[in-house]
Amino acid sequence: MTLTTTESGTVAYEIVDGVAWLYFNRPDKRNCMSPTLNDDMNAVLDELEFRDDFGVLVLTGEGTAFSAGMDLKEYFRETEAKGLVATRAAQRSSYGWWRRLRWYQKPTIAMVNGWCFGGAYGPLFACDLAFAAEDAQFGLSEINWGILPGGGATKIIRELTNFRNAMYHAMMGENVDGKTAAEWGLVNEAVPADQLKARVSEVASVLLKKNPVALKATKDAIRRVGEMTYDNAEDYLVRAQEAANFHDKTEGRKEGIRQFIDEKSYKPGLGAYDLSKQKG
């Protein structure tokens, strides 16, 4: 499929073999996020979410960066010069698409191909899985220009790694590479840059074989239960499973059990059941 680019050119996407590849498309600006880019991301995520021609979304960047964070000129200086109304509008747009991505209908993967700084931790955390090039650079540089890591970045670094790593990362303003990011838990894996897309494609192909209703319920559950007591999580998960069963019009859960018990055609611990045999 051909690459589709927004009118402003800040965002692009293509759908290939059931995977939507969504690109930050400001390579000359290290893909830093401007108000225009954030508005475009909101629009593209809306457009794509319930399409039937893909089952996994991958977010990455054109050029040598994933995203260098917020555009200091357009997002901060120019927006703040317009007053509080413009500032709040810009914040709603940026935080809005990260929130949309956290609860997206399809599984999402961040493919960190280069720089990932500051505000870029928002979409990084919003994606369900994350893979990085070993030489990618991760940084909370805000302390170096006199502010705290905002836009959720302070919460995100504390959520993804331990206290000492988070404190050092935020206070020192030093970058870490993809290997360290994987050790800290910012990403699932770091691989050589020339193997990154192949690894992400491999993971996406596995996800495409899973029941999509179960995937949505699972990704939501993992995010929700982190802040719950055990008893509250137990109750939530019972209700979540019942809701997933109701919304799964293909009766995939029953089909999976049928293939295991009746056909003996697959083993749950060794892969997914055959989606092509289910209803719908």
Side-chain angles (χ1 to χ4, degrees):
M1 186 173 178
T2 58
L3 190 70
T4 300
T5 306
T6 57
E7 184 176 349
S8 71
T10 63
V11 173
Y13 70 87
E14 58 185 341
I15 297 175
V16 181
D17 297 330
V19 179
W21 297 85
L22 178 61
Y23 301 94
F24 293 106
N25 195 41
R26 303 182 75 203
D28 57 321
K29 299 290 186 181
R30 303 278 187 180
N31 294 323
C32 59
M33 292 175 280
S34 64
T36 300
L37 182 147
N38 291 327
D39 288 345
D40 281 358
M41 278 291 189
N42 273 303
V44 170
L45 289 174
D46 277 342
E47 178 185 342
L48 291 177
E49 187 164 17
F50 292 98
R51 283 176 51 161
D52 296 328
D53 54 351
F54 77 98
V56 176
L57 183 144
V58 176
L59 177 65
T60 190
E62 283 286 3
T64 60
F66 176 72
S67 172
M70 292 307 193
D71 187 312
L72 300 188
K73 179 175 180 286
E74 295 184 34
Y75 186 86
F76 287 107
R77 176 182 286 177
E78 292 181 359
T79 299
E80 290 171 359
K82 298 174 184 176
L84 185 60
V85 172
T87 298
R88 291 290 182 259
Q91 290 168 341
R92 281 193 298 271
S93 183
S94 58
Y95 302 166
W97 78 264
W98 304 343
R99 188 177 302 112
R100 285 290 312 286
L101 199 56
R102 285 201 301 276
W103 305 107
Y104 211 58
Q105 188 68 25
K106 312 288 177 68
T108 57
I109 304 173
M111 187 172 82
V112 184
N113 54 306
W115 290 13
C116 181
F117 292 167
Y121 282 35
L124 172 70
F125 178 66
C127 289
D128 305 318
L129 302 174
F131 297 81
E134 290 178 340
D135 59 359
Q137 294 292 304
F138 293 75
L140 294 180
S141 60
E142 286 86 345
I143 194 67
N144 295 334
W145 45 285
I147 69 170
L148 62 84
T154 303
K155 168 63 174 173
I156 289 162
I157 191 63
R158 189 66 182 91
E159 187 83 9
L160 294 179
T161 192
N162 66 41
F163 173 80
R164 292 300 179 196
N165 289 340
M167 194 67 81
Y168 188 93
H169 197 48
M171 292 180 67
M172 296 294 288
E174 297 176 357
N175 298 342
V176 298
D177 63 15
K179 289 182 179 180
T180 301
E183 292 169 2
W184 283 8
L186 306 188
V187 297
N188 294 93
E189 297 175 24
V191 299
D194 61 357
Q195 299 174 28
L196 180 59
K197 188 169 185 177
R199 177 59 179 141
V200 170
S201 296
E202 179 184 26
V203 171
S205 70
V206 173
L207 293 173
L208 287 171
K209 297 174 183 176
K210 311 294 186 185
N211 181 306
V213 176
L215 278 175
K216 171 60 173 166
T218 298
K219 57 182 270 179
D220 288 357
I222 292 295
R223 288 193 186 272
R224 294 291 188 194
V225 300
E227 296 180 352
M228 295 181 184
T229 64
Y230 182 88
D231 286 343
N232 287 344
E234 188 178 74
D235 185 68
Y236 164 80
L237 292 169
V238 168
R239 306 294 178 258
Q241 182 62 69
E242 291 170 349
N245 293 346
F246 175 80
H247 288 293
D248 189 356
K249 303 306 181 184
T250 65
E251 297 191 346
R253 177 177 62 94
K254 293 180 181 178
E255 177 59 27
I257 292 173
R258 188 189 70 78
Q259 290 180 30
F260 173 60
I261 295 176
D262 301 333
E263 286 189 354
K264 295 180 171 53
S265 58
Y266 97 109
K267 297 179 180 180
L270 301 178
Y273 69 88
D274 186 350
L275 292 178
S276 69
K277 295 181 179 180
Q278 66 187 19
K279 299 177 183 179

